[in-house]
Amino acid sequence: EAGVTQFPSHSVIEKGQTVTLRCDPISGHDNLYWYRRVMGKEIKFLLHFVKESKQDESGMPNNRFLAERTGGTYSTLKVQPAELEDSGVYFCASSQDRPTAEAFFGQGTRLTVV
Amino acid sequence: SQKIEQNSEALNIQEGKTATLTCNYTNYSPAYLQWYRQDPGRGPVFLLLIRENEKEKRKERLKVTFDTTLKQSLFHITASQPADSATYLCALRNSGGYQKVTFGIGTKLQVIP
């Protein structure tokens, strides 16, 4: 069975440009999460989808970030316009809908804004 | 604010010994505490979950303790192997059916042959 897949693995863009990150969760996992790790800091929660609905987006930094999960399958995270401080590794994770369900993480997308 | 402290410095131990990693937290009453392993260039991999009403949990060579009075968890790897070398992350979460977790910065473990 395929794990959580993220694309691209790396992205280098100029300040002011737009980037879209994609996450394909494990099939059948209703819960999908986005996290981000800025260099030297902890991995931090961004938002959580249950199927296609945003359950919690309290970790989203600002309105330059837009996440979608149309149809409750894959998700995209768009940054527009990108700023230097958006650089980091963006992780996606998915889990089944049980309190102790394990979260499976993707390999991450390393975003560098120059 | 909620804070998790892990030894951000690397921990070096000899192969075969027991590695002990510490996770301390403040301003938090987690329902669950989790440990993850992360290798360079990869996402975190779940290892163990322990509930607030549990004192200890074991899985193969891994053991986790959870002391809600001290607000501390200890993570042990017995008979350590070079393949255990990685960064280990402590993560806390509240009750509820989803994985909004608060991560520590992680401790890098190096097992020396």
Side-chain angles (χ1 to χ4, degrees):
Chain A
E1 180 183 346
V4 176
T5 306
Q6 293 187 245
F7 182 84
S9 55
H10 295 85
S11 180
V12 181
I13 62 171
E14 292 184 350
K15 176 182 172 181
Q17 289 187 321
T18 297
V19 63
T20 300
L21 314 181
R22 172 170 171 146
C23 169
D24 286 77
I26 291 174
S27 178
H29 282 191
D30 288 340
N31 293 288
L32 186 149
Y33 318 85
W34 284 97
Y35 287 85
R36 176 175 74 173
R37 184 168 198 160
V38 173
M39 187 180 295
K41 302 286 188 180
E42 306 86 349
I43 297 173
K44 291 204 170 178
F45 169 85
L46 296 178
L47 88 158
H48 166 224
F49 283 99
V50 177
K51 297 183 180 179
E52 68 275 5
S53 299
K54 290 177 185 174
Q55 181 76 18
D56 183 341
E57 52 184 330
S58 60
M60 295 287 264
N62 50 61
N63 59 10
R64 295 185 294 102
F65 288 75
L66 175 64
E68 295 180 322
R69 191 182 183 194
T70 307
T73 54
Y74 71 91
S75 174
T76 58
L77 180 64
K78 180 190 288 187
V79 185
Q80 178 183 30
E83 298 289 344
L84 299 179
E85 64 265 25
D86 301 332
S87 296
V89 182
Y90 290 76
F91 292 104
C92 174
S94 71
S95 73
Q96 295 179 324
D97 197 17
R98 290 181 290 108
T100 57
E102 174 183 347
F104 293 84
F105 281 77
Q107 83 282 8
T109 293
R110 180 174 294 278
L111 174 65
T112 303
V113 183
V114 298
Chain B
S1 61
Q2 298 168 351
K3 189 175 180 182
I4 300 175
E5 290 183 355
Q6 292 186 258
N7 282 356
S8 58
E9 295 178 9
L11 176 65
N12 297 322
I13 65 164
Q14 206 70 33
E15 181 177 5
K17 301 291 185 182
T18 295
T20 299
L21 284 64
T22 304
C23 172
N24 294 295
Y25 59 91
T26 55
N27 299 323
Y28 207 135
S29 295
Y32 306 98
L33 187 145
Q34 303 172 82
W35 284 89
Y36 287 81
R37 168 183 174 140
Q38 188 173 23
D39 292 282
R42 310 301 294 261
V45 175
F46 171 82
L47 296 175
L48 279 169
L49 175 147
I50 186 165
R51 295 175 174 81
E52 61 179 334
N53 61 351
E54 296 177 318
K55 298 291 185 185
E56 180 180 300
K57 184 162 277 189
R58 293 174 186 260
K59 179 182 177 182
E60 298 172 351
R61 294 185 296 112
L62 308 180
K63 185 178 86 171
V64 172
T65 63
F66 192 11
D67 189 326
T68 55
T69 301
L70 291 179
K71 294 187 182 296
Q72 180 181 78
S73 174
L74 299 179
F75 177 77
H76 307 272
I77 305 175
T78 58
S80 60
Q81 305 165 1
D84 295 326
S85 299
T87 295
Y88 291 87
L89 307 171
C90 172
L92 307 180
R93 55 174 278 227
N94 294 319
S95 60
Y98 69 97
Q99 289 278 352
K100 179 184 179 181
V101 300
T102 301
F103 281 95
I105 199 163
T107 299
K108 186 174 183 179
L109 173 68
Q110 187 75 31
V111 181
I112 303 164

